[in-house]
Amino acid sequence: VHKTNPFLEDLHSGRNITVYRASPTRLVKGGMQLDSGQVLKADAVVYATGWRSSIDFFDDEEAGQLGIPIPLGQQDAEAEKLWNSIESKADMMVTDALPRLAEYPKPKTDRETGTTQFRMYRQVLSPKLLAQNDHSITFVGYVSNSQTSICSEILALWAVAWMEGLLPKPLPTETQMEMDVAMVNAWMTRRYGARGRQDPEIVLEVQT
């Protein structure tokens, strides 16, 4: 027997929906600013504009803090030196543990056109912000996987647990989290080549 869903009825009526033909430019206190200059008040912002992921509303400095890819040439010199060292060590650890992956060549990157990798612990937030106990933002949905629903559910649970202060304490140190990130990225780079270096990629690894 079909039962009417009041929420869906209200949603499809359009009574409480307002369409703005503009693009978001940045988040501000209490809401979001559009490229028209208008600021929309909001309790929460859900970024779900289509299949092509884009996070270009963060500038390079903000993106670097959040663990989002930025042009290699825009990296802070100290951060570049640190991550080059961590990533080199992580690659050696991965190929030592999984010798077959050593046969897969690492994709070459151009400093002028390439970008850093996603540097998010558990693919949710950068070690730097986690270490600072920053609960203001998380990212979910960037992992390519053939079991999207399961993967997204796990990431969402982790993100909500972090934002609500429900994760077991203490977390690993920032240095430990950075090494964890580097090892995951090194594995994805060896396993999936250029695609694995560009985005979080575990498309062939499935749970049975």
Side-chain angles (χ1 to χ4, degrees):
V1 178
H2 175 71
K3 294 184 178 179
T4 302
N5 187 317
F7 171 75
L8 291 179
E9 281 192 345
D10 187 56
L11 179 67
H12 290 296
S13 73
R15 288 189 297 268
N16 296 312
I17 297 175
T18 303
V19 176
Y20 296 88
R21 297 187 180 278
S23 298
T25 55
R26 66 193 183 104
L27 298 179
V28 296
K29 186 175 181 179
M32 179 177 67
Q33 185 174 24
L34 304 178
D35 57 5
S36 63
Q38 183 178 5
V39 174
L40 304 180
K41 293 183 178 180
D43 296 319
V45 176
V46 178
Y47 190 67
T49 58
W51 63 269
R52 182 179 180 183
S53 62
S54 174
I55 35 185
D56 55 7
F57 47 83
F58 294 109
D59 61 34
D60 289 340
E61 182 178 355
E62 291 172 327
Q65 292 287 320
L66 294 169
I68 297 170
I70 60 174
L72 290 172
Q74 297 301 316
Q75 275 194 112
D76 174 85
E78 289 188 14
E80 182 176 12
K81 183 178 180 181
L82 170 67
W83 278 101
N84 283 343
S85 174
I86 295 174
E87 289 168 355
S88 177
K89 182 178 180 180
D91 183 65
M92 291 178 61
M93 293 172 69
V94 167
T95 53
D96 283 347
L98 303 167
R100 185 68 180 270
L101 291 184
E103 301 174 14
Y104 297 11
K106 291 176 62 178
K108 295 182 179 179
T109 57
D110 186 298
R111 196 171 187 278
E112 296 301 318
T113 59
T115 64
T116 60
Q117 289 177 281
F118 278 86
R119 292 169 175 168
M120 296 184 184
Y121 185 65
R122 298 291 189 260
Q123 309 300 333
V124 169
L125 190 60
S126 76
K128 185 176 296 296
L129 268 68
L130 284 163
Q132 293 172 1
N133 205 33
D134 188 326
H135 295 260
S136 64
I137 188 171
T138 58
F139 296 89
V140 175
Y142 283 100
V143 179
S144 296
N145 181 260
S146 56
Q147 292 190 336
T148 302
S149 58
I150 294 175
C151 184
S152 297
E153 178 76 6
I154 292 171
L155 291 175
L157 288 171
W158 204 98
V160 170
W162 167 248
M163 298 189 83
E164 294 293 331
L166 301 176
L167 288 181
K169 295 180 175 58
L171 282 172
T173 66
E174 182 177 350
T175 299
Q176 290 170 328
M177 288 189 284
E178 287 174 341
M179 179 53 70
D180 184 278
V181 169
M183 289 189 67
V184 171
N185 285 347
W187 174 81
M188 290 189 295
T189 299
R190 289 285 186 174
R191 179 73 172 89
Y192 293 103
R195 180 166 175 167
R197 194 195 182 286
Q198 180 178 349
D199 297 305
E201 182 81 13
I202 50 174
V203 71
L204 297 180
E205 275 60 46
V206 298
Q207 180 178 344
T208 58

